[in-house]
Amino acid sequence: MKSALLITALAGIVGAQPTLKDAYKNAFRIGTALNTAQFSEEDKRALPIIKAQFNTITPENILKWMYVHPEANRYSFDLPDRYVAFGQKHGMFIIGHTLVWHSQVPRWVFEDAEGKPLTRDALIERMHDHIRTVVGRYKGRIKGWDVVNEALNEDGTLRQSPWMKIIGPDYLAMAFRFAHEADPDAQLYYNDYSLENPAKREGAVKLIRDLKQQGVPVYGVGLQGHNKLEWPSAEQQDETIRAFKALGVKVMITELDIDVLPSASGNRSADVGRSEEALAKFNPYTKGLPEDVEKTLARRYAELFGVYWKHRDVVERVTFWGVTNADSWLNNWPVRGRTNYPLLFDRDGKPTPAYAAVIAAAQAKP
Ligand code: GLA
């Protein structure tokens, strides 16, 4: 009796439940995005969660161009070095994010010394230098790179980013070839959001097929997974994973979260350029998540993990975009200063009912 009580008490403290990475160890890696306080081991609330629950990490910001290469002749490797050292120390599968993107990239990248648009050749050379320098520095340590992020429009056509306008559509193939040249063993991914929507997905399928036909070393597709309570459906998620599996590439869920707050505009996309007015009615859960929404969220997580599990032959990684609800970008986007609940750990770092549902979804499998 005494020992039974002791076991129950201990289970309550250390969690007799398996951790996320253990529950899914035969299926795929489980990861999280880290901010600077986290990989610097200053965030004492997040650190035990990171070490116990996750076996792969992605840097939320510090490898984006504007941070790692803020000026033409200056790279800033202090924080990325610290991030990679953290990953090595804790035995994590380390991801790099992201090399070529239209956002969080300084204007100078696309301009010459006089502020005029760069020529195609000069921009190719600049991209080559950036990729060679950044990927080369972490060769053999960063195991997978989001090479190109968000190259597609919602209708599946290529976004008219500065990369596209100045270089043309072959900038994608070049970015992958440069990354492969800098680290032939690194896994290289194309990463994007809303690929669960048919038009954008078809565009991505065509893009990846074309790249593969040219012999471009694309290892996998990153489905960002910035989800809503009602989107994507399990069927859409399933079809999307199958579409990429059919192309012979792996699938990573790279930035998983589920937004539980009402949308102010009805615009459901994850375009980082979007902003909406902060109004109290769009911030209804400042005092806690009502039980019915909490249950719906837990069911959604279980449903999505059911789909990932089913496709565990091609799904190699599921990475959450943040550790606790307090860390999530969704508290500030698309409306600043809201209280959102998109992840599996609450603001005190405690596992939520959605966490339990994700663990149960693994245990329920054969
Ligand atoms: C996109 C990017 C991420 C991050 C999120 C929002 O999905 O790929 O790096 O900026 O937006 O935080």
Side-chain angles (χ1 to χ4, degrees), residues 227-231 258-260 268 293 296-297 300 303:
N227 298 327
K228 317 289 173 192
L229 284 176
E230 72 288 357
W231 177 92
I258 300 178
D259 186 351
V260 304
R268 313 304 284 154
V293 186
T296 307
L297 177 65
R300 272 295 277 159
E303 178 181 47

Side-chain angles (χ1 to χ4, degrees), residues 66-205:
M66 66 182 278
Y67 297 108
V68 71
H69 192 177
E71 291 166 45
N73 297 315
R74 185 166 68 87
Y75 285 87
S76 175
F77 284 122
D78 292 358
L79 295 177
D81 284 357
R82 213 186 289 171
Y83 161 74
V84 171
F86 175 90
Q88 290 197 291
K89 174 176 166 192
H90 297 293
M92 302 283 185
F93 190 85
I94 306 171
I95 302 300
H97 170 85
T98 177
L99 297 169
V100 176
W101 190 23
H102 62 276
S103 185
Q104 293 185 275
V105 54
R107 270 234 325 256
W108 65 258
V109 173
F110 308 106
E111 294 172 351
D112 66 16
E114 278 91 53
K116 301 221 179 65
L118 225 49
T119 63
R120 172 181 150 93
D121 284 351
L123 185 57
I124 292 171
E125 187 40 43
R126 192 161 271 179
M127 175 169 84
H128 196 172
D129 168 72
H130 177 85
I131 293 176
R132 187 199 296 122
T133 307
V134 179
V135 176
R137 183 176 183 93
Y138 302 110
K139 182 171 183 231
R141 293 184 287 161
I142 288 187
K143 305 288 188 188
W145 276 100
D146 291 331
V147 177
V148 179
N149 202 31
E150 305 180 349
L152 292 162
N153 293 313
E154 296 309 289
D155 67 0
T157 58
L158 282 175
R159 189 193 283 268
Q160 287 298 317
S161 69
W163 300 106
M164 177 74 175
K165 283 191 193 143
I166 299 175
I167 300 179
D170 49 350
Y171 85 87
L172 286 114
M174 288 180 205
F176 277 89
R177 291 196 199 283
F178 295 157
H180 185 67
E181 176 188 279
D183 186 351
D185 294 327
Q187 299 178 357
L188 305 180
Y189 320 119
Y190 173 72
N191 194 50
D192 211 334
Y193 60 84
S194 297
L195 298 184
E196 290 77 9
N197 293 339
K200 193 163 183 183
R201 176 166 69 231
E202 276 161 36
V205 164

Side-chain angles (χ1 to χ4, degrees), residues 60 64 97 101 104 149-150 191 224 226 255 272 321 329:
E60 195 175 348
K64 292 172 180 172
H97 170 85
W101 190 23
Q104 293 185 275
N149 202 31
E150 305 180 349
N191 194 50
Q224 290 187 359
H226 292 302
E255 304 184 15
V272 284
W321 204 246
W329 71 299

Side-chain angles (χ1 to χ4, degrees), residues 155-289:
D155 67 0
T157 58
L158 282 175
R159 189 193 283 268
Q160 287 298 317
S161 69
W163 300 106
M164 177 74 175
K165 283 191 193 143
I166 299 175
I167 300 179
D170 49 350
Y171 85 87
L172 286 114
M174 288 180 205
F176 277 89
R177 291 196 199 283
F178 295 157
H180 185 67
E181 176 188 279
D183 186 351
D185 294 327
Q187 299 178 357
L188 305 180
Y189 320 119
Y190 173 72
N191 194 50
D192 211 334
Y193 60 84
S194 297
L195 298 184
E196 290 77 9
N197 293 339
K200 193 163 183 183
R201 176 166 69 231
E202 276 161 36
V205 164
K206 182 176 175 307
L207 173 68
I208 304 298
R209 188 186 293 128
D210 287 354
L211 290 171
K212 299 264 297 173
Q213 272 167 5
Q214 296 167 52
V216 174
V218 182
Y219 180 86
V221 169
L223 307 178
Q224 290 187 359
H226 292 302
N227 298 327
K228 317 289 173 192
L229 284 176
E230 72 288 357
W231 177 92
S233 68
E235 291 71 29
Q236 285 173 313
Q237 191 65 73
D238 181 79
E239 282 165 19
T240 306
I241 296 173
R242 278 193 284 119
F244 293 109
K245 178 177 173 171
L247 293 179
V249 291
K250 301 294 184 187
V251 173
M252 316 288 146
I253 310 298
T254 53
E255 304 184 15
L256 181 59
D257 47 29
I258 300 178
D259 186 351
V260 304
L261 296 180
S263 161
S265 70
N267 179 348
R268 313 304 284 154
S269 95
D271 187 334
V272 284
R274 187 158 73 89
S275 85
E276 292 175 352
E277 252 179 42
L279 290 170
K281 71 171 174 176
F282 298 118
N283 190 20
Y285 310 134
T286 51
K287 300 203 165 60
L289 196 59

